[in-house]
Amino acid sequence: MNIDEGILTAIGHTPLVQLNKIFENQSMKLFAKLEFLNPGGSSKDRPALFMIREGIKSGKIQKDTTIIESSSGNLGISLAKICNYLGLKFICVVDPKTTELNLNILKAFNATVELVKNPEPSTGEFLPARIHKVNELRKKLKNHFWPNQYANPNNSKSHYVMTMNEIFEDLKHVDYIFCAVSSCGTIRGCVDFIRDHQLKTKVVAVDSIGSVIFKESTGQRLIPGLGAGLVPALCPKESIHHIVHVSDLDCITGCRHLIQKESILAGGSSGAVIAAVNKLKPIIPKDSTCVVVFPDRGDRYLETIYSDEWVKKQYDEVNYFW
């Protein structure tokens, strides 16, 4: 199984583009890392590649191994794409928040989809219920590999080795970097890279209201892939300079603002980081160089974030601009 050939060689080296129009009279230099231009459509291509590669190197993944993982969408799609290329069976455990489009993409890549219909009773969260289902399935499989994106160090290593190196090769100096959090792989890779290279870059964690990652009380969240119902093992315990919590409406507004001003059709987490920049910009010094990581593409949200009908069902009236 050669993981360094074909479509898999297209993972990484995503563009870094300057956003000139999104904030009027902005005093900062704002750059976006377009992770949705990975072949699988999201930043999750990077950890999926690293986790599978290391599994193969260690001998834990062989030709007859079944890969099994819990995912709200993007990592599942990345793993499905890689496993399909390598001829590996893949089982993806999802929940009702996973969109019909993402389910169809998973199936197109020959993934087996296991749906968890009910959240964990004690927390009301789907993530613990999905992980419980993963462990149930693992007991039934003799030869399996669980990447476990929430605790696998190769998740954050992929962003340390690839994402951060690419950003600093392009810019050399960064004052602020904004990362949406879920499995915390991206932000952990950023924090470790900045620490090891003794950089002065300030890290901004962007989390969802209702997520428990930074000790908020749990609550309903509409936007998948942002926040979590448990604290991932990869979550950095220190070296995060700012934590910004955003609402689902903030995400929607950020996405609508982004496409209107910059013609970038990005996913909910990208809207979240734009909303976080807007909240934090009064304290960002003039001429600072800021980077926002855009995790996934917006066409997977056409029936939600970019649907006026869907938005109106959630909110009576929406002001899309600040």
Side-chain angles (χ1 to χ4, degrees), residues 77 94-95 98-108 111 113 115:
I77 290 171
V94 302
D95 62 52
T98 307
T99 66
E100 193 67 28
L101 176 60
N102 283 347
L103 292 174
N104 288 333
I105 295 172
L106 288 167
K107 292 171 183 176
V113 175
L115 176 63

Side-chain angles (χ1 to χ4, degrees), residues 111-223:
T112 299
V113 175
E114 288 279 348
L115 176 63
V116 172
K117 295 181 180 180
N118 298 309
E120 183 188 59
S122 62
T123 64
E125 291 284 344
F126 279 105
L127 177 53
R130 293 202 319 256
I131 292 176
H132 179 73
K133 184 64 174 179
V134 166
N135 286 319
E136 276 187 359
L137 293 170
R138 290 173 64 203
K139 292 177 182 177
K140 300 176 183 178
L141 297 168
K142 290 184 179 179
N143 185 1
H144 68 273
F145 178 75
W146 178 28
N148 190 7
Q149 61 168 317
Y150 308 101
N152 191 327
N154 288 307
N155 182 345
S156 57
K157 183 179 178 181
S158 70
H159 296 290
Y160 183 110
V161 172
M162 298 176 72
T163 313
M164 290 298 285
N165 265 315
E166 292 170 21
I167 289 171
F168 279 88
E169 282 177 2
D170 285 343
L171 292 180
K172 310 305 179 187
H173 172 81
V174 176
D175 294 298
Y176 291 83
I177 185 163
F178 290 73
C179 295
V181 295
S182 182
S183 71
C184 290
T186 305
I187 199 163
R188 178 62 179 268
C190 290
V191 164
D192 290 349
F193 185 95
I194 289 165
R195 180 199 62 225
D196 291 351
H197 291 79
Q198 299 182 331
L199 303 174
K200 295 183 179 180
T201 305
K202 293 183 178 180
V203 178
V204 182
V206 183
D207 197 8
S208 173
I209 293 173
S211 164
V212 303
I213 294 177
F214 295 106
K215 301 187 184 303
E216 287 282 302
S217 58
T218 186
Q220 183 183 14
R221 303 186 306 280
L222 298 175
I223 308 300

Side-chain angles (χ1 to χ4, degrees), residues 44-318:
K44 296 293 188 179
D45 276 7
R46 299 178 188 264
L49 182 74
F50 266 59
M51 291 187 292
I52 295 297
R53 177 190 283 139
E54 293 306 311
I56 293 171
K57 283 183 180 180
S58 67
K60 294 178 181 178
I61 298 176
Q62 300 171 352
K63 289 185 177 180
D64 60 347
T65 301
T66 297
I67 313 301
I68 182 168
E69 181 60 291
S70 154
S71 172
S72 60
N74 285 327
L75 183 76
I77 290 171
S78 296
L79 285 171
K81 186 181 188 72
I82 292 170
C83 289
N84 186 61
Y85 185 82
L86 297 175
L88 294 168
K89 183 179 179 181
F90 174 54
I91 301 173
C92 189
V93 179
V94 302
D95 62 52
K97 292 183 180 179
T98 307
T99 66
E100 193 67 28
L101 176 60
N102 283 347
L103 292 174
N104 288 333
I105 295 172
L106 288 167
K107 292 171 183 176
F109 283 122
N110 296 310
T112 299
V113 175
E114 288 279 348
L115 176 63
V116 172
K117 295 181 180 180
N118 298 309
E120 183 188 59
S122 62
T123 64
E125 291 284 344
F126 279 105
L127 177 53
R130 293 202 319 256
I131 292 176
H132 179 73
K133 184 64 174 179
V134 166
N135 286 319
E136 276 187 359
L137 293 170
R138 290 173 64 203
K139 292 177 182 177
K140 300 176 183 178
L141 297 168
K142 290 184 179 179
N143 185 1
H144 68 273
F145 178 75
W146 178 28
N148 190 7
Q149 61 168 317
Y150 308 101
N152 191 327
N154 288 307
N155 182 345
S156 57
K157 183 179 178 181
S158 70
H159 296 290
Y160 183 110
V161 172
M162 298 176 72
T163 313
M164 290 298 285
N165 265 315
E166 292 170 21
I167 289 171
F168 279 88
E169 282 177 2
D170 285 343
L171 292 180
K172 310 305 179 187
H173 172 81
V174 176
D175 294 298
Y176 291 83
I177 185 163
F178 290 73
C179 295
V181 295
S182 182
S183 71
C184 290
T186 305
I187 199 163
R188 178 62 179 268
C190 290
V191 164
D192 290 349
F193 185 95
I194 289 165
R195 180 199 62 225
D196 291 351
H197 291 79
Q198 299 182 331
L199 303 174
K200 295 183 179 180
T201 305
K202 293 183 178 180
V203 178
V204 182
V206 183
D207 197 8
S208 173
I209 293 173
S211 164
V212 303
I213 294 177
F214 295 106
K215 301 187 184 303
E216 287 282 302
S217 58
T218 186
Q220 183 183 14
R221 303 186 306 280
L222 298 175
I223 308 300
L226 178 67
L230 53 77
V231 181
L234 293 175
C235 181
K237 306 301 181 185
E238 54 187 20
S239 301
I240 294 177
H241 299 84
H242 300 278
I243 299 169
V244 180
H245 284 92
V246 298
S247 67
D248 291 322
L249 184 55
D250 288 330
C251 297
I252 294 166
T253 303
C255 285
R256 296 284 185 121
H257 200 61
L258 186 61
I259 196 169
Q260 180 70 21
K261 294 292 186 178
E262 301 284 354
S263 284
I264 294 176
L265 183 67
S269 298
S270 302
V273 294
I274 286 298
V277 173
N278 185 58
K279 290 175 184 287
L280 214 61
K281 67 179 182 180
I283 68 167
I284 296 176
K286 185 178 179 180
D287 296 326
S288 293
T289 297
C290 303
V291 172
V292 289
V293 179
F294 286 172
D296 66 351
R297 49 201 283 181
D299 53 0
R300 295 174 183 172
Y301 300 82
L302 290 178
E303 295 182 355
T304 54
I305 288 171
Y306 295 100
S307 165
D308 288 343
E309 183 179 351
W310 181 85
V311 172
K312 287 176 183 177
K313 285 182 179 178
Q314 314 303 324
Y315 307 98
D316 293 333
E317 185 178 350
V318 177

